Every structure is written in C-alpha cells, then in structure tokens.
Amino acid sequence: MTEEHEEHKEQTTAVSVEQIREALRRVVDPELHLDVVALGLIREIDVNASPIVLKMVLTTPFCPFAPWMVKQVHEVAEKAAGVPVKVEVLQQQWHPAMMEDPSLLGF
C-alpha cells in the first residue's frame, strides 16, 4: 500500500469526539427518558486510542438497565466511529450537576 493511500485511509476512518457524542444522543435512559449525553453519563471519549476508549458512568451503581445501556452505547459508538470501541464503566458516582442542563430533571 502506498503512503498516499495509507494517508487517505486514515482520513476516511477518522472520527471526531463530537461525531460520536452526537450519535450517542440516540441512546436514551429508559427510566429518565433522557439521552446518555444530556445526562452527562459519557465522561470521556479518546479517539486517539486504538481501539477508541469511551468512559461512562451509570446513574446508580445498581442500575437495572446497566447491561442494556452499556451495550447500546458500545454499538452506537462503534457504528458512528466505523472502528472498534472499548466502553469502560467508571465507578464514579453520578450527580445531576454532571448533566448538560440539570433543570431537565427539576434540579
């Protein structure tokens, strides 16, 4: 493969943090009826890592929808990125102040 072709390949698979974040707005918390981005559950997206690393928190440590939400985040992020994505669930405690707009939940 030529260097020029390699460079073109990189450009076509490159994805921005914002593209992944926007795609993740389709993943909605089934109890709170807000997307994972608005809730502030997506804490970090490292598009320079291979695979891409996405770090998230859950609204509660024992969230009954945790496996489903993590699976949805993984699938949507990989589809948006077009490359493998690793989702890490952080032990960090979620708080409404993490939200884009806490008033959406009355805070």
Side-chain angles (χ1 to χ4, degrees):
M1 198 177 292
T2 67
E3 193 173 310
E4 183 180 302
H5 186 264
E6 223 16 76
E7 186 176 312
H8 177 69
K9 183 180 172 193
E10 270 185 38
Q11 290 173 351
T12 59
T13 58
V15 65
S16 72
V17 169
E18 204 48 48
Q19 288 171 307
I20 295 172
R21 193 174 294 281
E22 283 305 308
L24 289 170
R25 290 187 185 279
R26 295 192 310 259
V27 180
V28 176
D29 182 297
E31 290 182 307
L32 300 176
H33 307 291
L34 293 171
D35 69 77
V36 294
V37 176
L39 286 168
L41 301 182
I42 306 304
R43 305 310 298 156
E44 183 182 329
I45 302 171
D46 183 356
V47 295
N48 296 316
S50 183
I52 290 173
V53 176
L54 187 150
K55 296 180 181 181
M56 68 178 291
V57 297
L58 300 170
T59 53
T60 64
F62 303 106
C63 176
F65 295 103
W68 177 85
M69 284 183 51
V70 172
K71 183 175 188 265
Q72 292 299 306
V73 165
H74 181 259
E75 289 175 358
V76 169
E78 272 197 350
K79 186 174 182 182
V83 295
V85 173
K86 178 182 175 187
V87 177
E88 295 178 7
V89 178
L90 304 174
Q91 297 304 310
Q92 179 182 12
Q93 181 71 38
W94 177 82
H95 188 274
M98 294 176 167
M99 295 177 62
E100 289 179 329
D101 181 0
S103 70
L104 293 173
L105 289 179
F107 293 97

